[in-house]
Each structure stands twice: as structure tokens, then as C-alpha cells.
């Protein structure tokens, strides 16, 4: 995406900026006789929160880094992002188990986000617009049995990604599980 497009996506909310758009044709050429000011007929429109095509005026194709790409959520999220015209840098521990290796816009990079130096190096090299963090140690029984490892992956690893995102001014989207908070009970 052109630098202008990236700057616009980082600085302005296109859903708000494009709320009022011209409705109907407008003659912008001045007439030689009877010059009259032209008015725009503005019609309020609700924003399209899920653009239907990569060429939508609401959305530029983004450069997205996805953690946990070999996992359940990553496996199903990648085709949706590629279909919308985004480039996806899928990351995970170990080699890729994904069937998207030969699709345009898809790359896979091994990443252990518990290592802050590796995390920073990958984010610097890929320069994403958005980081979607879907990587975690997610099995509750494993987390209870290996509390230090779970803390290292789920807390320290997330912190490494957040710090790198802040340094590179990337958007950060964190995905979690209902085992953390089901929306009904808890001290949240």
C-alpha cells in the first residue's frame, strides 16, 4: 500500500471520515451565465464495518503480522485476511503446518515471541501495519501443570509483542479465550 494510504489508516478513522458522502452527481464546472453556488446533497450513511472487496474506499490493503498462525484461530483467520487483499506474515513456533504456502500475499516466519530480541527483529524486518496476537498456551490443564511456561508465553510474550508494536507504531489486536473471562462472572 502506498505510504499515504498507511498514514491515513493510522491517523484517521475511515468509518467516521466517510460517514457523509456526496449523493448524486454534482456539477463542479462553473457556468458562464447565471453563476450559482453549487451545493452538495449529503446523505448520512452507516459505515460498512466489513468491506466486501479489497478495493473498498474504506480500507487499504494492510500488512498484517499474525502470531499463532498454526493454531485454530490463525488457520481460519488467514484465508479471510488474504481474501480481503491483505498481505499476511504468519508466525508460529516451528515450521508452518498451513496450506497457504503458495498463495499471493502469504509468508511464514518462525517466531518465538517469548524472546524479546527475536520478536523485535521480526517486527523490524516485516514492518507490519497491524499485529494480531492469537498465539498462546491455551490448554487450561497444561497451564495449571506448567505455570511458569504459561506465564512466560501468555504474559511475557504478549508484553514483548506490545512493546515492539509501540516502538514501530503498529496497531495491536489481542485475541483471547473464554477460559480467561466468559463475560458473566469474575472480578473483571
Amino acid at each position: 500500500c502506498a505510504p499515504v494510504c498507511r498514514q491515513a489508516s493510522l491517523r484517521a478513522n475511515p468509518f467516521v471520515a466517510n460517514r457523509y458522502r456526496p449523493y448524486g452527481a454534482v456539477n463542479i464546472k462553473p457556468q458562464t451565465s447565471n453563476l450559482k453556488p453549487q451545493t452538495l446533497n449529503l446523505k448520512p450513511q452507516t459505515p460498512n464495518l466489513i468491506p466486501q472487496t479489497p478495493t473498498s474506499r474504506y480500507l487499504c490493503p494492510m500488512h498484517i503480522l499474525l502470531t499463532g498462525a498454526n493454531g485454530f484461530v490463525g488457520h481460519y483467520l488467514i484465508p479471510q485476511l488474504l481474501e480481503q487483499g491483505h498481505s499476511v506474515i504468519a508466525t508460529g513456533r516451528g515450521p508452518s503446518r498451513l496450506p497457504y504456502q503458495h498463495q499471493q500475499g502469504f509468508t511464514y516466519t518462525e517466531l518465538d515471541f517469548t524472546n524479546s530480541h527475536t520478536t523485535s527483529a521480526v517486527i523490524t524486518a516485516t514492518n507490519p501495519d497491524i499485529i494480531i496476537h492469537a498465539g498462546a498456551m491455551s490448554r487450561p490443564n497444561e497451564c495449571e501443570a506448567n505455570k511458569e511456561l504459561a506465564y512466560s508465553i501468555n504474559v511475557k510474550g504478549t508484553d514483548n509483542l506490545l512493546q515492539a508494536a509501540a516502538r514501530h507504531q503498529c496497531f495491536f489486536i489481542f485475541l483471547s479465550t473464554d477460559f480467561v473471562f466468559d463475560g458473566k462472572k469474575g472480578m473483571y
Side-chain angles (χ1 to χ4, degrees), residues 128-188:
D129 298 312
I130 301 173
I131 297 172
I132 300 176
H133 182 34
M137 187 172 176
S138 59
R139 294 186 183 99
N141 293 340
E142 270 185 44
C143 291
E144 286 297 321
N146 302 308
K147 290 181 182 181
E148 288 180 18
L149 179 62
Y151 184 83
S152 175
I153 293 171
N154 296 342
V155 177
K156 289 183 180 178
T158 301
D159 185 53
N160 291 339
L161 288 163
L162 279 168
Q163 289 183 24
R167 279 192 302 276
H168 292 87
Q169 298 180 342
C170 313
F171 285 106
F172 189 88
I173 299 172
F174 177 77
L175 303 179
S176 188
T177 172
D178 63 351
F179 283 114
V180 174
F181 177 52
D182 65 2
K184 297 177 184 170
K185 54 189 169 191
M187 299 296 292
Y188 302 96

Side-chain angles (χ1 to χ4, degrees), residues 1-18 57-60 62 129 171:
C1 190
V4 172
C5 193
R6 180 172 185 205
Q7 288 172 0
S9 69
L10 293 175
R11 292 192 183 131
N13 183 343
F15 300 115
V16 174
N18 291 323
R57 71 185 280 168
Y58 292 117
L59 186 64
C60 296
M62 299 279 183
D129 298 312
F171 285 106

Side-chain angles (χ1 to χ4, degrees), residues 69-71 90-98 101 108-111:
N70 284 325
T91 65
R93 288 175 31 166
S96 174
R97 299 187 302 266
L98 301 166
Q101 299 295 339
Y108 183 86
T109 302
E110 288 188 37
L111 173 64

Side-chain angles (χ1 to χ4, degrees), residues 13-168:
N13 183 343
F15 300 115
V16 174
N18 291 323
R19 186 168 179 197
Y20 292 97
R21 291 186 284 170
Y23 182 74
V26 176
N27 182 4
I28 58 171
K29 293 182 181 179
Q31 298 174 357
T32 54
S33 62
N34 298 333
L35 289 176
K36 296 178 184 175
Q38 298 292 322
T39 59
L40 294 176
N41 183 10
L42 297 177
K43 178 182 177 184
Q45 297 180 350
T46 56
N48 182 4
L49 298 179
I50 303 175
Q52 299 300 312
T53 66
T55 58
S56 169
R57 71 185 280 168
Y58 292 117
L59 186 64
C60 296
M62 299 279 183
H63 201 57
I64 300 171
L65 184 132
L66 173 67
T67 65
N70 284 325
F72 181 79
V73 173
H75 178 79
Y76 288 98
L77 185 58
I78 291 168
Q80 299 296 317
L81 295 171
L82 292 172
E83 200 172 279
Q84 291 293 320
H86 303 293
S87 64
V88 177
I89 305 110
T91 65
R93 288 175 31 166
S96 174
R97 299 187 302 266
L98 301 166
Y100 315 109
Q101 299 295 339
H102 302 291
Q103 278 193 282
Q104 182 179 357
F106 176 85
T107 56
Y108 183 86
T109 302
E110 288 188 37
L111 173 64
D112 177 7
F113 54 78
T114 61
N115 182 323
S116 63
H117 298 294
T118 305
T119 302
S120 185
V122 168
I123 292 174
T124 299
T126 58
N127 193 27
D129 298 312
I130 301 173
I131 297 172
I132 300 176
H133 182 34
M137 187 172 176
S138 59
R139 294 186 183 99
N141 293 340
E142 270 185 44
C143 291
E144 286 297 321
N146 302 308
K147 290 181 182 181
E148 288 180 18
L149 179 62
Y151 184 83
S152 175
I153 293 171
N154 296 342
V155 177
K156 289 183 180 178
T158 301
D159 185 53
N160 291 339
L161 288 163
L162 279 168
Q163 289 183 24
R167 279 192 302 276
H168 292 87

